[in-house]
Amino acid sequence: ILNNDTIVDSKILKNFFIGVDKYGANNIYGCKIMYESDHSRIWYAGGKVNLNCGMIKHLGIRGIDEDFEDSITDYITGCCMFVKSSTVHKLEGFDIQYEMYMEDVDFCLRAQKQGVNCYFLNAPFLFHKVSGSTSTWFKIFKTLSSYVRLSIKHTGLLSLFNIPLFLIRRLLSI
């Protein structure tokens, strides 16, 4: 799965297959994603989710490029996701209830409940033109509505108390 606003390294598939050979075919894989506007800055190097604290974030974001260790991560961004079609079918695909944002997090959380790991791989990489099609306020609104759906789905109605924490984290990240 690949966003259409990306430029991939010529060895990306080779490097994904090295990861598959090392960690197994029935996992979800993601790569290091750099800003297209600044090739030295990281946009994604793994993901962290803690719905009880209102947190969903990219690891390494805005940092200078560095070598990371391959690692299990909480989610793989849908910007670039390397996954077998049989795994997608096993998980019944992406939840179409998400109009925009968080469908990748939901997919990965459901995968983990079925014993599928999410791996961040350092070697494959690409460049991404980040949020080129949405305004900041539209993105905040869509992200918040998707977070509410995700949070209720995975942690129940009590998680709604964490919405202010999530919103504060998003606003601070801008």
Side-chain angles (χ1 to χ4, degrees):
I1 298 166
L2 183 66
N3 275 19
N4 66 351
D5 60 350
T6 58
I7 301 167
V8 300
D9 174 60
S10 62
K11 296 181 240 164
I12 194 168
L13 289 176
K14 176 186 174 191
N15 287 322
F16 271 129
F17 280 114
I18 290 170
V20 168
D21 287 344
K22 187 173 184 179
Y23 303 111
N26 295 316
N27 295 304
I28 302 169
Y29 294 92
C31 65
K32 183 166 33 177
I33 301 175
M34 309 301 290
Y35 285 96
E36 187 272 333
S37 61
D38 182 350
H39 290 193
S40 68
R41 296 268 176 203
I42 298 166
W43 183 71
Y44 175 86
K48 184 74 177 156
V49 177
N50 185 335
L51 296 175
N52 294 321
C53 294
M55 181 181 61
I56 300 172
K57 69 177 185 176
H58 288 196
L59 300 176
I61 192 163
R62 296 182 196 92
I64 298 294
D65 188 15
E66 62 181 275
D67 285 334
F68 293 90
E69 296 292 322
D70 293 352
S71 61
I72 291 178
T73 191
D74 290 346
Y75 75 95
I76 301 298
T77 176
C79 177
C80 181
M81 187 180 281
F82 195 74
V83 58
K84 285 178 61 173
S85 61
S86 61
T87 301
V88 174
H89 290 295
K90 173 183 172 182
L91 298 170
E92 299 179 0
F94 289 90
D95 185 340
I96 61 171
Q97 299 279 330
Y98 295 91
E99 291 178 36
M100 185 180 264
Y101 305 117
M102 308 281 176
E103 69 282 351
D104 48 0
V105 178
D106 171 68
F107 182 77
C108 291
L109 292 176
R110 289 186 289 119
Q112 291 167 22
K113 289 177 184 174
Q114 293 195 30
V116 176
N117 289 317
C118 297
Y119 281 92
F120 163 77
L121 302 176
N122 183 66
F125 72 93
L126 60 81
F127 302 104
H128 180 218
K129 186 175 182 180
V130 178
S131 298
S133 61
T134 58
S135 72
T136 302
W137 292 110
F138 178 78
K139 184 176 180 178
I140 290 171
F141 172 75
K142 286 296 190 180
T143 304
L144 181 60
S145 63
S146 292
Y147 175 79
V148 169
R149 178 179 303 285
L150 180 80
S151 193
I152 291 171
K153 181 176 182 177
H154 290 277
T155 60
L157 288 174
L158 288 177
S159 65
L160 293 177
F161 291 109
N162 296 321
I163 290 172
L165 288 172
F166 175 78
L167 189 54
I168 289 167
R169 288 180 193 275
R170 283 294 177 200
L171 291 172
L172 289 174
S173 74
I174 295 172

